Amino acid sequence: MLATCIVATGWIVRLRHEAPQAESSRPAATRQEPQRSATAQDILTEFSRIAGETDRVRRDARLLALAGRWSDAGPEDALDFAFGLPPGEVRDIFLRQLCVAWARKDAEKALAWSDRLDDAADRRQISSTVCIAVAESDPHLALGLALRHGSEDDDSGGLLENISAQWADREPTAALDWVRTQPGGEWHDRLLARVAFVLSRSDPHTAACRVAKDMEPGTMQDEAVISILHQWIMKDPQAAATWAAAFPEGDLHSRALNEFPN
């Protein structure tokens, strides 16, 4: 048993229960030409001009401003329009910017809308974009949103780990305390390993203690130990050596000793 511690994209998106249509997400039998307001028509005209912009920096800045305007006017209509664009860089950028703009306005509603998407990869992509946008200002809120909208069960992209790491960068103690309250198991250990690694840059001793005490023994814990040890060696090699020397004989002990420069 490990010694505990020592004292020292292109998206193709379709809504559920709706027939896939190239022109619109609505079923063909009920689809009608949309009646656009003068403001909406102005936005469409502006998008056509932006799409032809040759300066990519200027183009992206203009797309961001347009996404904000259109998100205020009607984010669902904006996304419906964006999904109908030909695949490519402009489409992908505009989709991301629309999601970010909507997240900053009403993240809960944006995620509720994404829950209706038929394809799991599309749901992950959009919910990740929304939650990461929220995490820029409030990682704790972003984690809550992600969990309420199924990221615990559908998190192959590592969304929860990424947000937890963002939180640990700002408030390592709060992030660590939150992770420790989550149910045990692989998901808990993945989060803890990520947060502990971030914490190890400033406090490797605490990070080492948490990984040793709170993670299940096995490959995931071993990898977390080695990543923390590497950070600790750079910060305080003598303390790191004392910790590594307490490991029981075996593969992990040998790997730990190999981390030290000869």
Side-chain angles (χ1 to χ4, degrees):
M1 182 175 182
L2 181 64
T4 57
C5 61
I6 62 168
V7 176
T9 195
W11 307 339
I12 300 174
V13 183
R14 300 185 179 96
L15 299 182
R16 284 178 178 164
H17 312 304
E18 294 182 353
Q21 300 289 332
E23 303 90 344
S24 169
S25 61
R26 291 185 293 275
T30 60
R31 188 170 65 250
Q32 297 179 350
E33 285 299 315
Q35 300 298 313
R36 298 190 178 102
S37 67
T39 299
Q41 187 60 54
D42 288 344
I43 291 174
L44 290 172
T45 300
E46 184 174 348
F47 179 86
S48 298
R49 293 171 181 158
I50 294 171
E53 176 71 62
T54 57
D55 184 325
R56 295 176 64 180
V57 174
R58 176 176 166 80
R59 180 200 67 190
D60 293 354
R62 292 178 65 190
L63 281 174
L64 180 60
L66 181 62
R69 284 176 54 201
W70 207 348
S71 182
D72 288 341
E76 296 95 335
D77 291 339
L79 285 165
D80 186 54
F81 166 78
F83 293 150
L85 293 171
E89 184 181 36
V90 171
R91 177 181 184 270
D92 293 344
I93 290 171
F94 195 47
L95 280 168
R96 285 195 297 270
Q97 291 174 338
L98 285 169
C99 290
V100 170
W102 199 2
R104 290 170 178 166
K105 180 182 178 183
D106 192 336
E108 189 70 65
K109 186 175 288 187
L111 288 170
W113 183 87
S114 74
D115 288 344
R116 297 173 54 217
L117 299 176
D118 188 41
D119 185 78
D122 295 333
R123 288 197 303 274
R124 284 195 299 270
Q125 184 68 59
I126 295 177
S127 65
S128 294
T129 302
V130 170
C131 290
I132 288 171
V134 173
E136 291 177 3
S137 58
D138 193 338
H140 189 196
L141 174 60
L143 282 168
L145 289 169
L147 287 170
R148 285 200 297 277
H149 290 272
S151 288
E152 182 178 0
D153 300 322
D154 194 21
D155 190 43
S156 61
L159 175 62
L160 296 173
E161 291 124 288
N162 291 334
I163 296 175
S164 297
Q166 282 186 261
W167 192 7
D169 271 329
R170 299 182 186 188
E171 300 177 292
T173 301
L176 187 62
D177 287 345
W178 179 83
V179 171
R180 293 177 68 193
T181 66
Q182 303 308 303
E186 181 181 350
W187 176 72
H188 166 275
D189 286 353
R190 284 193 287 118
L191 291 180
L192 181 56
R194 190 67 177 270
V195 169
F197 174 74
V198 175
L199 179 60
S200 69
R201 298 169 186 164
S202 58
D203 187 356
H205 176 261
T206 299
C209 288
R210 294 276 62 83
V211 164
K213 290 181 176 178
D214 297 339
M215 289 184 70
E216 291 292 328
T219 301
M220 193 177 299
Q221 187 192 51
D222 290 351
E223 295 305 319
V225 165
I226 294 299
S227 67
I228 291 169
L229 180 63
H230 181 73
Q231 295 294 320
W232 203 347
I233 290 170
M234 293 190 293
K235 191 175 184 66
D236 187 345
Q238 184 175 355
T242 303
W243 184 51
F247 294 176
E249 292 293 332
D251 290 343
L252 180 60
H253 183 265
S254 298
R255 286 183 63 191
L257 294 182
N258 288 333
E259 288 292 314
F260 292 86
N262 295 325

